[in-house]
Each structure stands twice: as C-alpha cells, then as structure tokens.
Amino acid sequence: MQGIRLELCGDDRAGLLSDVTRIFRENGLSVTRAEVATRGSQAVNVFYVTDASGNQVKSETIEAVRQEIGLTFLHVQD
C-alpha cells in the first residue's frame, strides 16, 4: 500500500520540506513515497502517506495536517 496521496503546491521557500515532514511526523504519518519538484518559484510536491503502522490514514488526521500546513497548499487525492 502506497498510502493516501497528498499534493503540496505553493510558493517555495527555504525549509519547506523540513517543515512539512515535521508536521507529518508530529501527526503520526509515515511517507512511503515522495515526488519533489520546483517549477520557477513554486514547490510542486506529492507525498504518499500512511499512519505509523502502515495503515490508511484517518480523515481527522489529514484535516489536522491540512490546517497546520494550510488548506490552500495541501490537496488530498484518494
């Protein structure tokens, strides 16, 4: 299982990936796969995440992560 697909698109900045992965970790998520790119000044990143046990992530966990990262930057693709 690759996990749920999260797309992060927005202005790139120093420390963005570090901040995002810290937020994932603090919410008990594990990244199983990542596609990281920058197009001009825009970060275009895709993460596949599961919970720490490798299971499907609960919707309330995803919502908590979206609130922390920013609703306009993080999109969920089931």
Side-chain angles (χ1 to χ4, degrees), residues 23-36:
I23 291 168
F24 287 169
R25 187 176 62 252
E26 288 173 352
N27 284 277
L29 300 180
S30 294
V31 176
T32 59
R33 183 174 152 211
E35 300 165 9
V36 178

Side-chain angles (χ1 to χ4, degrees), residues 12-31:
D12 196 16
R13 62 174 172 76
L16 178 64
L17 284 178
S18 176
D19 290 345
V20 169
T21 55
R22 176 186 48 79
I23 291 168
F24 287 169
R25 187 176 62 252
E26 288 173 352
N27 284 277
L29 300 180
S30 294
V31 176

Side-chain angles (χ1 to χ4, degrees), residues 7-13 16-17 20 35-47 73:
E7 294 181 0
L8 177 78
C9 300
D11 292 335
D12 196 16
R13 62 174 172 76
L16 178 64
L17 284 178
V20 169
E35 300 165 9
V36 178
T38 304
R39 294 193 183 109
S41 64
Q42 295 293 298
V44 182
N45 304 310
V46 176
F47 301 94
F73 296 115

